[in-house]
Amino acid sequence: MQSIRVFAPATVANIVCGFDVLGFAVNAPGDEVILRIIGPPGVRIRAIHGDGGLLPLDPCRNTVSAVVMRYLEQTGDPGCGVEIELFKKMPVGSGLGSSAASTIAGLFAINTMKGNPLGQSQLLAIALEGERIACGQGHADNVAPALLGGFVLIRSYEPLDVIRLHTPAHLVCALVHPQIEIQTRDARRIIKKQIPLSDTVRQMGNVGAMVAGLYQEDDRLISRSMQDVIIEPTRAVLIPGFYRLREIALEQGALGFGISGSGPSIFALAASRGSAQMVVEALRKELFRDGIDSEGYVSSVNREGPSILEGEPASGEP
Ligand code: HSE
């Protein structure tokens, strides 16, 4: 096999209560990578489609090529020739784990081509370096669910300890990406560095209850757990009408609503596809009333992480 085409899913980090420690993957949107083994040594980006020219083609600065280079060094094959074509199928800087999806697609592709010498924990460690390149900090709540699929808990960063949680089959995600710009770096900079003990207690209760809610498939417990008293009050100001949007999502039957990762995307979990569809429509309508265009997605939770796609796209779009 000289080339491979891989899909990796978008992800919702934090899931409201679990800043930097909870995340889940969705089946749509997601990114695609075609990776080819070529004769001349070195890793190069052949093309990036769908990013509007935003992402760097320089292999040292692009996260996908940078992690593939790191992978080849780590597996003792630094001279291997690799050509990468990236198909962005989701907005960049959207809070949907865009860089993580590309990174995981690239790593999964090269690992598969090489006969899977590295396991998930080694791939995750390399992917975290990619996140550092993309947003200055190595948080794992996008790369871990993108690689493992399903709901994921990061128990510890040092050492990295990632736990795949039970993923109820009926949960559906409503995602809306408003056309406003928020950089993860900026959204992290504004967070308070000191928090009261009482808030920490509430947050710990919610994270624990969310994990229990997933295992018990208890929608009402999941719903009660989707509260954030630490990060959201600061970040909500970045999304116009945030609290009104939450009211609307809950009125439409969402179990819970919040910021996806560091935003600007917002998401809701719902107990059915029909309910998630209504949430997406209502949220987009409200944003539009405020003069904000948006894109909406309704997706089941992705359970397997990246997957190999058959064949090559004709050209340009897959
Ligand atoms: N947990 C990170 C944050 C995710 O909220 O800053 C960024 O997508």
Side-chain angles (χ1 to χ4, degrees), residues 22-45:
L22 284 174
F24 66 89
V26 292
N27 282 313
D31 280 349
E32 289 182 26
V33 157
I34 294 178
L35 186 142
R36 299 182 182 91
I37 301 294
I38 53 172
V43 177
R44 61 180 285 257
I45 303 273

Side-chain angles (χ1 to χ4, degrees), residues 151-269:
F151 284 81
V152 168
L153 170 75
I154 295 114
R155 188 203 62 80
S156 152
Y157 275 83
E158 287 179 19
L160 189 60
D161 187 359
V162 171
I163 301 157
R164 193 180 185 283
L165 302 172
H166 177 68
T167 299
H170 70 285
L171 291 180
V172 181
C173 180
L175 275 172
V176 173
H177 172 239
Q179 302 288 332
I180 51 177
E181 211 177 301
I182 301 175
Q183 295 294 329
T184 296
R185 278 173 215 269
D186 300 333
R188 292 185 81 85
R189 209 173 289 140
I190 62 170
I191 294 167
K192 285 190 229 147
K193 302 293 175 287
Q194 306 283 331
I195 47 171
L197 183 60
S198 55
D199 286 351
T200 314
V201 170
R202 286 180 68 186
Q203 202 87 355
M204 284 194 296
N206 282 325
V207 172
M210 170 61 91
V211 173
L214 291 171
Y215 277 90
Q216 293 169 9
E217 304 209 353
D218 182 339
D219 287 352
R220 285 194 292 186
L221 184 54
I222 292 171
S223 177
R224 292 202 299 282
S225 312
M226 289 177 72
Q227 288 182 33
D228 174 5
V229 293
I230 296 179
I231 309 295
E232 187 183 276
T234 312
R235 284 186 172 169
V237 297
L238 301 173
I239 298 165
F242 177 80
Y243 292 105
R244 174 76 193 120
L245 292 166
R246 178 188 348 251
E247 249 172 57
I248 288 169
L250 298 180
E251 275 163 22
Q252 296 299 324
L255 301 177
F257 166 88
I259 304 171
S260 176
S262 57
S265 291
I266 45 183
F267 85 102
L269 278 177

Side-chain angles (χ1 to χ4, degrees), residues 82-159:
V82 172
E83 187 180 74
I84 294 164
E85 197 166 353
L86 173 59
F87 298 84
K88 291 301 301 176
K89 303 289 216 75
M90 69 176 103
V92 175
S94 54
L96 298 174
S98 168
S99 63
S102 304
T103 299
I104 293 299
L107 275 178
F108 186 84
I110 188 71
N111 199 41
T112 306
M113 293 292 274
K114 296 290 180 185
N116 293 309
L118 297 195
Q120 281 186 331
S121 55
Q122 292 162 302
L123 293 179
L124 261 186
I126 301 177
L128 264 181
E129 291 182 30
E131 287 296 87
R132 276 184 208 111
I133 297 172
C135 28
Q137 282 191 347
H139 42 86
D141 48 353
N142 289 119
V143 282
L147 180 65
L148 274 58
F151 284 81
V152 168
L153 170 75
I154 295 114
R155 188 203 62 80
S156 152
Y157 275 83
E158 287 179 19

Side-chain angles (χ1 to χ4, degrees), residues 280-293:
V280 165
E281 281 164 20
L283 291 175
R284 293 192 66 202
K285 202 165 146 196
E286 178 66 15
L287 285 163
F288 190 72
R289 260 170 35 95
D290 275 351
I292 301 170
D293 280 337

